[in-house]
Amino acid sequence: MAVTDTLFEAARAAMARAYAPYSKFPVGAAILAEDGRVYEGANIENLAFPQGWCAECTAIGAMVMAGAKRIVEIGVIAEKMAFCPPCGGCRQKILEFASPDTRIHLYDAAGTARTMTMDELLPFSFQTDTIDRG
Ligand SMILES: [Zn+2]
């Protein structure tokens, strides 16, 4: 199975476990990490809205807690939106564990992927060399 198909299936399975009673906008994410494992995440909302978090955050948390630190590829899917892009905050969070050429796959319900690189998703980003200039 191609990596994009594996990430699609994992992200879709994660989306089914989303806790999104307020937005009713379930999102799933799946990361292929450097250790060869796939880490899943879904959005988890809270009545106090700012306390909820995105699917990408859950997947990153699962990856880090398992001991992996590098995202090889990541896939995202939303039930109600084809090719749902990560929000601005998640772009920065993904970048923390990614490279400019890391591939991000945005899926539609059929598993078709719209793929872009980290650099395309977050150009002119805030990176280590940005804060090393001090
Ligand atoms: Zn987000």
Side-chain angles (χ1 to χ4, degrees):
M1 184 182 281
V3 170
T4 54
D5 294 333
T6 300
L7 292 178
F8 167 68
E9 294 296 339
R12 188 168 62 174
M15 180 177 67
R17 299 193 300 276
Y19 178 74
Y22 307 108
S23 71
K24 303 191 186 329
F25 193 85
V27 181
I31 292 170
L32 173 63
E34 77 215 351
D35 61 0
R37 294 179 59 191
V38 173
Y39 298 96
E40 299 175 356
N43 51 330
I44 301 174
E45 298 180 345
N46 190 280
L47 177 61
F49 292 162
Q51 301 307 319
W53 62 88
C54 298
E56 297 90 328
C57 299
T58 306
I60 289 169
M63 176 189 76
V64 171
M65 292 313 296
K69 296 287 190 296
R70 299 303 302 167
I71 296 171
V72 178
E73 300 185 36
I74 179 170
V76 179
I77 186 170
E79 186 178 281
K80 296 180 178 172
M81 179 183 186
F83 312 117
C84 179
C87 74
C90 283
R91 294 175 194 209
Q92 188 68 42
K93 289 172 184 168
I94 294 166
L95 176 63
E96 185 74 20
F97 303 98
S99 306
D101 60 348
T102 298
R103 299 195 316 159
I104 293 96
H105 311 287
L106 311 179
Y107 297 104
D108 67 8
T112 303
R114 184 170 166 189
T115 300
M116 61 200 64
T117 65
M118 186 73 242
D119 208 38
E120 291 168 335
L121 186 67
L122 187 61
F124 195 57
S125 59
F126 189 81
Q127 298 187 42
T128 306
D129 63 346
T130 308
I131 60 173
D132 283 349
R133 291 190 187 127

